[in-house]
């Protein structure tokens, strides 16, 4: 009982329910190991008792981070303050530059539930912004009118219980501007507390209109000019063309996070070195302004020829995308490019970027420089360099200053091309633009874990428990964030991560969005079956997400496929986070498991026929995905059984499409069936409809086949036609098959009558 109680106090589950009628107990050894990763020693019964006494005797006036939602009741931590408490709110200094309009507001001072109304007092001169000194004002319940104003307020009436039907806040509360603040509380009995206050809008921005768009793994989208893999120039071209020609509203790409260098580099975009900074391998080198001023043109031309040969090998000789070879050529070219002096305007823009990114960028660039010398796993570096704040690391920074600047410059160049891609999308009329993807975690040896060591749980990995699709569970090899450290630091690392991603995006897709609520932690050396769930403060995680999305004006899409804890989808929907609905999984499970009729789909979602982890639509319709898994030895039943079940599933969907008159060509026409699937998606109320770009040319190969490593070329395939021949961006945009499919989704322009003619 003691261990269970201690675990509950720290958000560690001692049992879980894979289905409503099944409960699985977590091994005590797992609970003890997870508590240890959270800094809690529960190794013996005596240790458990000692930690319980300490935890239960610890009394906090405020939690480390407090969330207030615009227009909603105050949280219990504030609503329950003793009458007469003084509350002062001041902006976080790091939050002020560039994020709050006008001058930063001076502190707000207010008094909770006084015993009697306070007499009006004259407003004294406003104190200097950021001075930390409270100013007074007449009692008021209105929001702060303008940055720089300060006020205090009292109220005589008791505070009503916070529920959905009460007033949004008590009269004494003066809502601060959206942002991150410091809140200071002093009670009448002289207790004091300080916490981080996140003042968040109630919902993230919503799509301005229904729209369709493409889903694509950027590396797979090669143009005739690519250096062996798709790049940000190709992305801008695709968005420009799709917006102008097809009326598309968005292009969703895979995570473009910085990868861990090495030979071979892990090709998965979902296991990066850093999620905060993009990978310069995606740069379109020729678009960098300094490229045209490189003096050593001969070397640059040789590199360009080698890059053309890489592209030729992928497009015409059956070679796989070789990220390492691409990066080696681009790195050499970029070494020449950064030797060109920046113009005064470009230098000013670069300095602004350095100031904006601050310590996080310096740490990332230093890790990149150290990895060039000592290898990509910081755990194997000399001991003095394993601590980013050690004197030895400071000396190394000084010695490697040129390389640190090189990697800072690459981060800036990549960020500018990401921004240019979003501008291209907007200029082409896209209502959303580029949808970036946030991976669920980072590589254990990468830059983020080095720079933020205290924030990550040691000897733990994120994964998934056993389920109907994987009886062994999953271990993704990604160290989890510690929820206690996130809360204690006001979610600073999470805020910075979201801000960097959203700054140059029209929307953000969050992989495994359920991780904002809980994650499956697997202790090192144990199978995934011996893991357990660890809870995160979903209110705080969602508040930071809503705040940063609001600042960027960006839509948020959550990947909520698979096992989802009850209440999660409802909580996400309440905050305006769209879900993800994939056709083959949308069935009426309470009504016999039949395909779900289009009008019964949820509205607030991105609807699509497939994803990067699933078969293409053509492969699904033909059963090719089953024979592929059979060839790789991945089936758990006979090929005949699997094919029969798959054919039955597909036939049910085709029958529904036929009943809805979406398949006028009848059975047997693969292209017609793909079009019918997308007609169906368009019939649903989904706010966004995604088209897997390989589907437009009949590609049968999945980009990633879960459960494989070296058996299948995951993350290394170019988009190809039905026969597996790679196709370029230019060929895709000219494809009759694509245009026939997109005719289904193309928005119809309203009829405009000529002058003098009346509309019927």
């Amino acid at each position: 009982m003691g261990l269970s109680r201690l675990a509950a106090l720290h958000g560690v589950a001692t049992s879980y329910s894979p289905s409503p009628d099944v409960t699985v107990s977590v091994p005590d050894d797992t609970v003890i190991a997870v508590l240890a990763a959270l800094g809690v020693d529960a190794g013996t019964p005596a240790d458990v008792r000692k930690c319980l006494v300490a935890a239960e005797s610890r009394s906090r006036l405020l939690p480390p981070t407090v969330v207030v939602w615009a227009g909603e009741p105050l949280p219990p931590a504030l609503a329950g303050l003793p009458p007469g408490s003084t509350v002062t709110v001041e902006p976080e200094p790091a939050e002020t530059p560039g994020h709050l309009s006008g001058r930063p507001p001076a502190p707000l001072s207010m008094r909770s539930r006084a015993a009697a109304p306070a007499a009006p007092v004259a407003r004294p001169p406003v104190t200097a912004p950021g001075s930390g000194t409270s100013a007074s004002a007449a009692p008021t319940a209105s929001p702060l009118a303008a940055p720089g104003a300060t006020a205090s307020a009292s109220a005589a009436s008791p505070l009503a219980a916070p529920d959905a039907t009460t007033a949004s806040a008590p009269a004494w509360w003066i809502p601060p501007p959206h942002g991150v603040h410091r809140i200071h509380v002093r009670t009448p009995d002289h207790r004091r507390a300080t916490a981080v206050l996140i003042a968040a809008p109630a919902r993230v921005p919503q799509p301005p209109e229904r729209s369709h768009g493409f889903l694509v793994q950027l590396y797979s989208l090669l143009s005739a000019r690519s250096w062996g893999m798709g790049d940000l120039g190709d992305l801008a071209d695709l968005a420009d063309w799709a917006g102008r020609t097809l009326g598309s509203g968005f292009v969703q790409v895979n995570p473009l996070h910085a990868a861990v260098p090495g030979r071979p580099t892990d090709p998965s975009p979902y296991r990066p070195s850093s999620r905060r900074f993009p990978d310069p391998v995606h740069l379109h080198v020729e678009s960098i302004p300094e490229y045209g001023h490189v003096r050593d043109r001969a070397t640059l031309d040789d590199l360009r020829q080698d890059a053309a040969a890489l592209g030729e090998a992928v497009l015409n000789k059956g070679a796989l995308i070789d990220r390492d070879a691409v990066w080696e050529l681009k790195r050499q070219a970029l070494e020449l490019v950064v030797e060109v002096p920046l113009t005064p305007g470009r230098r000013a823009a670069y300095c602004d970027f350095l100031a904006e990114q601050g310590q996080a960028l310096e740490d990332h660039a230093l890790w990149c420089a150290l990895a060039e010398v000592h290898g990509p796993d910081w755990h194997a570096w000399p001991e003095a360099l394993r601590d980013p704040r050690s004197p030895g690391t400071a000396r190394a920074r000084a010695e490697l200053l040129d390389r640190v600047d090189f990697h800072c410059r690459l981060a800036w160049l990549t960020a500018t091309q990401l921004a240019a891609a979003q501008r291209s999308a907007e200029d082409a009329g896209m209502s959303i633009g580029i949808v970036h993807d946030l991976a669920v975690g980072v590589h254990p040896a990468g830059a983020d874990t080095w720079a933020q060591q205290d924030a990550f749980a040691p000897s733990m990995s994120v994964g998934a428990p056993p389920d109907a699709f994987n009886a062994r569970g999953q271990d993704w090899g990604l160290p989890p964030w510690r929820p206690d450290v996130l809360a204690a630091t006001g979610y600073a690392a999470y805020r910075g991560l979201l801000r960097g991603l959203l700054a140059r995006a029209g929307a953000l897709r969050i992989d495994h969005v359920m991780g904002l609520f809980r994650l499956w932690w697997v202790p090192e050396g144990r199978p995934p079956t011996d893991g357990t769930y660890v809870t995160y403060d979903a209110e705080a995680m969602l508040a930071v997400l809503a705040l940063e999305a609001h600042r960027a004006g960006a839509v948020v899409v959550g990947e909520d496929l698979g096992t989802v804890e009850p209440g999660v989808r409802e909580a996400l929907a309440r905050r305006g986070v769209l879900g993800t609905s994939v056709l083959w999984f949308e069935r009426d499970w309470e009504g016999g498991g039949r395909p779900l009729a289009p009008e019964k789909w949820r509205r607030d979602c991105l609807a699509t026929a497939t994803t990067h982890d699933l078969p293409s639509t053509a492969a699904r319709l033909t059963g090719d995905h089953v024979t592929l898994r059979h060839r790789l030895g991945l089936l758990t039943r006979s090929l005949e059984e699997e094919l029969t079940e798959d054919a039955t599933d597909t036939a049910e969907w085709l029958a529904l499409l036929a009943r809805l008159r979406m398949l006028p060509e009848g059975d047997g026409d693969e292209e017609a069936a793909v079009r019918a699937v997308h007609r169906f998606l368009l019939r649903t109320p989904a706010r966004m409809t995604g088209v897997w770009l390989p589907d437009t040319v009949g590609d049968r190969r999945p980009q990633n086949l879960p459960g494989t490593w070296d058996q299948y070329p995951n993350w290394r395939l170019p988009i190809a036609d039905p026969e597996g021949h790679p196709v370029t961006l230019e060929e895709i945009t000219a494809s009759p098959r694509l245009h026939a499919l997109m005719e289904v989704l193309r928005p119809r322009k309203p009829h405009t009558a000529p002058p003098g003619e009346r509309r019927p």
Side-chain angles (χ1 to χ4, degrees):
M1 285 295 295
L3 182 62
S4 295
R5 198 158 81 249
L6 183 63
L9 288 172
H10 292 87
V12 180
T14 54
S15 65
Y16 67 98
S17 298
S19 59
D21 56 342
V22 175
T23 298
V24 178
S25 295
V26 175
D28 285 353
D29 287 351
T30 295
V31 176
I32 292 169
V34 171
L35 285 171
L38 293 170
V40 180
D41 184 2
T44 67
D47 293 329
V48 171
R49 288 192 295 271
K50 179 180 178 182
C51 289
L52 264 177
V53 169
E56 293 177 339
S57 63
R58 191 182 303 125
S59 176
R60 293 186 62 105
L61 186 60
L62 291 178
T65 297
V66 179
V67 172
V68 292
W69 297 97
E72 297 186 14
L74 290 182
L78 295 181
L81 288 174
S85 297
T86 299
V87 179
T88 304
V89 176
E90 59 185 14
E92 282 268 36
E95 287 288 308
T96 300
H99 296 292
L100 299 176
S101 60
R103 296 167 59 206
L108 297 172
S109 181
M110 56 202 93
R111 189 176 298 277
S112 70
R113 293 200 293 159
V121 295
R123 181 187 297 272
V126 175
T127 57
S131 67
T133 304
S134 302
S136 301
T140 176
S142 62
L144 187 64
T150 57
S152 66
S154 301
S157 60
L159 182 65
D163 60 44
T165 61
T166 62
S168 61
W172 62 266
W173 175 253
I174 304 173
H178 295 329
V180 179
H181 311 271
R182 281 279 168 183
I183 183 167
H184 307 275
V185 173
R186 186 177 71 248
T187 66
D189 60 355
H190 306 296
R191 287 186 297 156
R192 295 173 181 268
T194 296
V196 174
L197 176 71
I198 301 172
R203 287 167 62 82
V204 304
Q206 297 298 286
E209 60 187 13
R210 286 195 71 189
S211 62
H212 71 265
F214 289 120
L215 318 178
V216 63
Q217 299 282 291
L218 181 56
Y219 58 83
S220 71
L221 181 69
L222 281 74
S223 68
R225 68 181 186 181
S226 301
W227 287 38
M229 62 182 281
D231 59 39
L232 292 172
D234 298 323
L235 176 59
D237 278 351
L238 176 65
D240 197 2
W241 169 80
R244 296 181 190 279
T245 305
L246 305 175
S248 299
F250 62 91
V251 174
Q252 177 183 300
V253 295
N254 56 284
L256 304 181
H257 309 318
V260 176
R263 279 188 173 271
T265 299
D266 185 343
S268 172
Y270 291 92
R271 203 163 181 252
S273 169
S274 173
R275 294 188 294 173
R276 176 153 183 177
F277 296 101
D279 198 310
V281 76
H282 300 112
L283 281 168
H284 180 239
V285 179
E286 294 94 325
S287 293
I288 300 172
E290 290 74 37
Y291 177 87
H293 301 281
V294 171
R295 292 185 177 182
D296 189 353
R297 303 306 301 182
T299 299
L300 208 53
D301 290 343
D302 288 344
L303 292 171
R304 187 65 188 89
Q305 288 181 10
D306 291 343
L310 275 181
E312 169 72 13
V314 172
L315 293 171
N316 297 314
K317 298 180 180 178
L320 298 175
I321 292 170
D322 187 342
R323 181 192 183 103
D324 296 326
V326 172
W327 174 237
E328 180 58 27
L329 294 178
K330 287 192 176 183
R331 183 193 60 76
Q332 294 181 52
L334 291 166
E335 299 275 6
L336 298 174
V337 168
V338 299
E339 291 178 359
V340 178
L342 295 171
T343 63
R346 295 267 292 164
R347 169 61 62 180
Y350 178 43
C351 290
D352 284 349
F353 180 78
L354 293 175
E356 177 186 307
Q357 301 301 321
Q359 185 69 53
L361 176 58
E362 184 175 338
D363 286 343
H364 174 71
L366 178 57
W367 181 91
C368 293
L370 289 170
E372 292 176 336
V373 178
H374 301 287
D377 184 353
W378 61 267
H379 300 90
W381 292 356
E383 187 171 354
L385 302 179
R386 296 175 199 169
D387 178 359
R389 304 290 171 253
S390 73
T393 300
R395 288 192 295 273
R397 179 184 293 108
E399 295 166 359
L400 297 171
L401 197 57
D402 287 346
R403 298 307 299 171
V404 172
D405 183 66
F406 174 72
H407 290 289
C408 285
R409 182 85 70 90
L410 297 192
W412 172 60
L413 292 173
T414 312
T416 59
Q417 289 197 3
L418 287 169
Q422 176 63 14
R423 285 195 302 272
S424 293
E426 293 171 347
D427 292 346
M430 285 191 165
S431 57
I432 295 175
I434 309 301
V435 183
H436 287 284
D437 197 351
L438 173 61
V440 71
V442 294
H443 196 286
D448 282 1
T449 57
W450 177 73
Q452 305 167 21
Q453 292 174 42
D454 291 343
F456 288 92
S459 303
M460 291 289 148
S461 176
V462 174
D467 56 27
F469 299 98
N470 195 326
R472 299 178 181 176
Q474 299 176 58
D475 183 344
W476 301 332
L478 308 169
W481 264 336
R482 285 180 54 167
D484 57 329
V485 174
L486 285 177
T489 56
Y491 295 82
Y494 179 51
R495 282 151 41 198
L497 167 61
L498 290 177
R499 188 172 304 163
L501 286 170
L502 289 165
R504 298 158 189 91
L508 180 66
R509 173 192 181 269
I510 300 180
D511 190 45
H512 194 70
V513 71
M514 299 82 78
L516 301 182
F517 297 76
R518 66 179 185 177
L519 283 172
W520 184 257
W521 286 24
V522 181
E524 186 177 40
R526 299 176 187 269
T529 50
D530 285 356
T532 190
Y533 280 113
V534 175
T535 301
Y536 291 75
D537 185 345
E539 280 289 287
M541 300 290 273
L542 288 172
V544 172
L545 177 62
L547 174 61
E548 296 300 339
H550 174 78
R551 287 170 165 172
V555 174
V556 179
V557 179
E559 185 270 294
D560 56 351
L561 304 174
T563 302
V564 183
E565 186 182 9
V568 166
R569 287 196 174 104
E570 292 77 8
L572 293 170
R574 183 184 178 196
R575 297 305 171 196
V577 178
L578 305 185
T580 301
S581 293
V582 178
L583 181 130
W584 311 101
F585 302 152
E586 292 295 316
R587 288 179 171 271
D588 183 5
W589 299 111
E590 296 180 0
R594 291 182 295 273
L596 192 65
E599 65 273 10
K600 294 185 178 180
W601 283 41
R602 53 181 169 170
R603 175 175 179 265
D604 295 326
C605 75
L606 165 66
T608 182
T610 191
T611 73
H612 59 267
D613 283 333
L614 296 172
S616 70
T617 305
R620 172 78 70 169
L621 290 168
T622 59
D624 282 4
H625 68 110
V626 178
T627 56
L628 171 62
R629 294 180 65 83
H630 172 67
R631 289 200 305 271
L632 297 175
L634 300 176
L635 298 183
T636 57
R637 298 181 297 174
S638 70
L639 176 61
E640 291 72 20
E641 288 178 292
E642 294 278 357
L643 285 172
T644 299
E645 181 177 292
D646 183 71
T648 300
D649 181 85
T650 302
E652 286 185 322
W653 280 103
L654 291 175
L656 175 59
L657 297 176
R659 286 198 302 273
L660 295 174
R661 299 183 179 179
M662 295 180 180
L663 192 55
E665 300 87 348
D667 274 348
D669 187 331
E670 176 192 306
E671 290 189 45
V674 173
R675 291 195 295 270
V677 163
H678 289 85
R679 286 192 187 98
F680 181 94
L681 295 177
L682 201 62
R683 181 78 66 87
T684 73
R687 305 283 293 272
M688 298 169 67
T689 302
V691 180
W692 178 236
L693 189 60
D695 273 350
T696 66
V697 290
D699 197 344
R700 280 167 161 68
R701 306 172 304 175
Q703 282 294 316
N704 179 52
L705 191 58
T708 64
W709 177 246
D710 56 359
Q711 308 99 310
Y712 186 80
N714 296 318
W715 318 112
R716 289 172 287 171
L717 293 172
I719 297 175
D721 64 17
E723 287 71 43
H725 301 140
V727 290
T728 64
L729 171 60
E730 293 83 359
E731 291 168 332
I732 293 171
T733 59
S735 166
R737 179 167 179 156
L738 176 144
H739 285 277
L741 172 58
M742 298 311 295
E743 193 63 30
V744 171
L745 296 162
R746 190 192 307 271
R748 299 293 186 263
K749 294 182 180 180
H751 171 70
T752 302
E757 178 184 321
R758 291 185 178 182
R759 285 189 171 187

